[in-house]
Amino acid sequence: MNQSENINELAMALSKAQGEITPAIKDSANPFFKSKYADLTSVWAACREPLTKHGLAVTQTMAEQEGKLILITMLLHASGQWIKSFLPI
């Protein structure tokens, strides 16, 4: 299962948080492409407060499945509701 039985509270909280998340600041440079980008610190700074304010948290863990590494990302809500995704690495 990739989500809790219900996600209504999680969806409402995520909707509210997304309305408050501002664009991340492009404060890092990529000399190869001569461009600027928002690094992970900047992205996290842009979304941490709105996510926390609405009872949301993000976790990432690793697992092994059929001899391959899998990145597991979970979006959790204070109500206990959750959504999970898997990404082979």
Side-chain angles (χ1 to χ4, degrees):
M1 176 185 257
N2 290 331
Q3 66 184 44
S4 56
E5 186 174 335
N6 296 302
I7 60 166
N8 58 309
E9 291 183 55
L10 183 152
M12 180 62 75
L14 182 58
S15 173
K16 290 177 181 178
Q18 285 179 335
E20 297 175 14
I21 294 173
T22 58
I25 298 169
K26 293 182 179 181
D27 54 359
S28 295
N30 181 333
F32 183 77
F33 290 109
K34 297 180 176 78
S35 62
K36 292 193 134 300
Y37 67 95
D39 65 12
L40 185 56
T41 300
S42 181
V43 171
W44 190 236
C47 64
R48 179 183 302 129
E49 187 175 328
L51 291 175
T52 303
K53 177 181 173 183
H54 295 288
L56 295 163
V58 178
T59 64
Q60 290 189 307
T61 58
M62 302 288 290
E64 187 176 329
Q65 189 175 49
E66 299 175 10
K68 297 178 183 174
L69 285 177
I70 306 290
L71 175 66
I72 304 166
T73 302
M74 290 187 70
L75 177 63
L76 307 154
H77 184 252
S79 68
Q81 295 179 357
W82 53 272
I83 296 174
K84 183 188 316 185
S85 68
F86 303 88
L87 178 68
I89 298 181

